[in-house]
Amino acid sequence: MDDSPAIAGPQRPLYEVKANLFKGLSHPVRIRTLEILSAAAHEAQAEGGSAGSGTDESGTDESGSTDLVGWVPVSVMMDDMQLEASHLSQHLAVLRRHHLVRSERRGSQVFYALAYPQVADLLAVARTLLRQILETTHEQLLDTATLPRLPGPIS
């Protein structure tokens, strides 16, 4: 029997959306994709790219054209991850469905960027948490060396 409290009322759909968001993040290829896009966004911000200077929140300038500073072509992601286009495309579709990335076609190339800068923050927090968990686990593993030896072939 499930001991978790039932989620009722208008909150239920919100919790389902949150759960689906985490499901969308639950693959190493999608995490790596977001890391690549996060690094590109960070570089663009450090260089004074699309942060301000004639673009709105969507990255669109006054002429209606999207500023591609901080955007990454699919070909670069394919090279970085050594994936075939169809495989990467499936993962990008999941990230688009969960509104984590946005895309734009320019000629024969498709470019991607983070849909929200908070995605980069989420990745950074997750990495910090993972590091703390691994440090704790490593400390616990080291602590097993002080346990008394057991009789028999297993020590």
Side-chain angles (χ1 to χ4, degrees):
M1 184 170 168
D2 185 10
D3 291 334
S4 61
I7 301 169
Q11 293 176 338
R12 181 179 178 143
L14 180 58
Y15 283 110
E16 289 173 4
V17 170
K18 287 180 186 179
N20 287 329
L21 173 66
F22 283 104
K23 286 178 189 176
L25 292 170
S26 66
H27 195 282
V29 168
R30 293 192 288 267
I31 296 295
R32 180 63 189 138
T33 300
L34 292 173
E35 288 176 344
I36 292 168
L37 298 177
S38 177
H42 181 73
E43 281 180 28
Q45 187 177 22
E47 295 172 4
S50 62
S53 73
T55 61
D56 63 16
E57 288 179 358
S58 69
T60 304
D61 64 21
E62 292 89 0
S63 67
S65 159
T66 303
D67 177 8
L68 291 178
V69 173
W71 289 67
V72 179
V74 170
S75 59
V76 168
M77 290 185 276
M78 286 172 35
D79 290 345
D80 181 280
M81 294 185 275
Q82 300 294 302
L83 291 175
E84 293 184 20
S86 60
H87 190 188
L88 180 57
S89 178
Q90 290 174 357
H91 289 291
L92 289 167
V94 171
L95 294 172
R96 276 193 318 270
R97 185 170 51 246
H98 292 290
H99 309 285
L100 295 168
V101 299
R102 51 194 173 126
S103 64
E104 180 164 318
R105 178 176 292 279
R106 287 282 175 100
S108 63
Q109 284 193 315
V110 179
F111 293 81
Y112 279 85
L114 295 178
Y116 301 94
Q118 293 87 347
V119 175
D121 298 339
L122 179 63
L123 292 172
V125 168
R127 184 172 284 198
T128 300
L129 175 61
L130 177 60
R131 188 174 293 123
Q132 289 174 348
I133 290 169
L134 291 174
E135 286 173 2
T136 300
T137 303
H138 180 71
E139 289 171 10
Q140 290 171 342
L141 179 62
L142 293 175
D143 286 345
T144 64
T146 63
L147 293 173
R149 294 184 66 78
L150 297 174
I154 300 175
S155 54

